[in-house]
């Protein structure tokens, strides 16, 4: 994708959409929205058109940032967009753990921070760069026997998790203000940042959980070119109203 093509999806520009043929929409997913919430909102805004709308890569409800939506014939290419490299920025909290590895659940264990220093934290990133192995969080959308793990976890059921292999080309610490640690990470499809943060805490003989996460890039698509959901929905609805008005005059 060229810079010019990317700019077409700028949140300040509304191009001429052809949703039936297929549009790729860059969306800034709001906090606490599920990825399916965004899909549903856009699909409803396109009524009465009956179009396929899907997303290319789930973001957790507590995460924000770039979510790629495809419409119409372009939904056939969702797997291609989903397979692309991702980039995130986020914040982890050292000195504690939660069952979900993030803020969805309460802290269940606490650890002293006295023995930690900046050098130890910077050095610990080395073990998480390159090809690594990780288990998905028990509170995740991964399906086991047709049911998502978070459904089983909320019932208190334990499930044997399968180890997965992922690639992390870049992992850097950008700010340390204990217990908060900010980071930037570039990773392959299927990487669970929550799992990586939890493992990072273990590598420090401590605990860690994710407190904030934003997807800033998916392949060559950038968050800075994404639409805000409210802006795009307002535009689509105004377009629908205008077309209805013009049709009534013809």
């Amino acid at each position: 994708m060229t810079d010019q093509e990317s700019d077409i999806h700028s949140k300040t520009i509304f191009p001429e959409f052809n949703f039936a043929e297929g549009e790729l929409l860059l969306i800034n997913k709001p906090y606490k929205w599920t990825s399916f919430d965004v899909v549903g909102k856009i699909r409803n805004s396109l009524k009465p058109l009956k179009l396929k709308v899907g997303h290319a890569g789930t973001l957790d409800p507590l995460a924000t940032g770039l979510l790629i939506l495809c419409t119409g014939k372009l939904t056939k290419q969702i797997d291609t967009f989903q397979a692309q490299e991702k980039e995130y920025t986020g914040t982890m909290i050292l000195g504690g753990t939660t069952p979900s590895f993030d803020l969805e659940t309460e802290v269940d264990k606490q650890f002293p921070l006295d023995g930690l220093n900046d050098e130890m934290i910077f050095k610990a990133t080395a073990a998480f760069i390159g090809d690594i192995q990780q288990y998905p969080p028990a509170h995740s959308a991964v399906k086991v026997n047709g049911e998502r793990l978070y459904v089983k976890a909320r019932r208190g059921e334990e499930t044997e998790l399968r180890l997965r292999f992922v690639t992390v080309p870049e992992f850097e610490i950008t700010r340390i203000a204990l217990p908060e640690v900010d980071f930037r990470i570039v990773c392959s499809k299927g990487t669970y940042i929550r799992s990586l943060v939890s493992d990072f805490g273990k590598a420090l003989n401590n605990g860690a959980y994710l407190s904030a996460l934003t997807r800033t890039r998916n392949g060559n698509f950038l968050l800075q070119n994404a639409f805000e959901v409210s802006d795009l929905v307002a535009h689509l609805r105004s377009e629908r109203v205008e077309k209805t008005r013009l049709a009534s005059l013809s």
Side-chain angles (χ1 to χ4, degrees), residues 78-153:
I78 280 180
D79 288 346
T80 299
F81 299 123
Q82 191 168 345
Q84 294 178 333
E85 182 180 79
K86 314 291 192 299
E87 183 172 347
Y88 299 86
T89 59
T91 301
M92 70 177 86
I93 304 295
L94 295 181
T97 60
T98 72
S100 60
F101 302 166
D102 65 4
L103 294 175
E104 182 184 342
T105 53
E106 298 292 328
V107 173
D108 58 355
K109 293 181 182 179
Q110 293 184 318
F111 302 83
L113 297 174
D114 302 352
L116 293 181
N117 57 51
D118 291 5
E119 183 180 5
M120 294 169 62
I121 294 171
F122 283 118
K123 283 186 175 181
T125 60
F128 298 91
I129 297 174
D131 296 328
I132 65 172
Q133 302 177 39
Q134 62 173 201
Y135 289 99
H139 291 252
S140 71
V142 171
K143 285 187 176 181
V144 175
N145 298 324
E147 190 172 35
R148 298 195 185 278
L149 285 178
Y150 66 77
V151 176
K152 295 178 179 289

Side-chain angles (χ1 to χ4, degrees), residues 22-75:
E23 287 290 345
L24 185 148
L25 302 173
L26 307 183
I27 305 292
N28 182 13
K29 189 193 81 64
Y31 182 64
K32 290 192 176 180
W33 284 43
T34 68
S35 300
F36 294 106
D37 288 338
V38 178
V39 170
K41 196 75 171 178
I42 300 303
R43 184 186 289 123
N44 288 337
S45 300
L46 294 174
K47 289 180 178 179
L49 296 176
K50 295 181 179 180
L51 294 175
K52 290 184 178 180
V53 181
H55 67 79
T58 303
L59 273 175
D60 289 336
L62 299 187
T64 61
L66 183 59
L67 184 69
I68 294 180
L69 265 58
C70 296
T71 75
K73 297 177 182 179
L74 201 60
T75 55

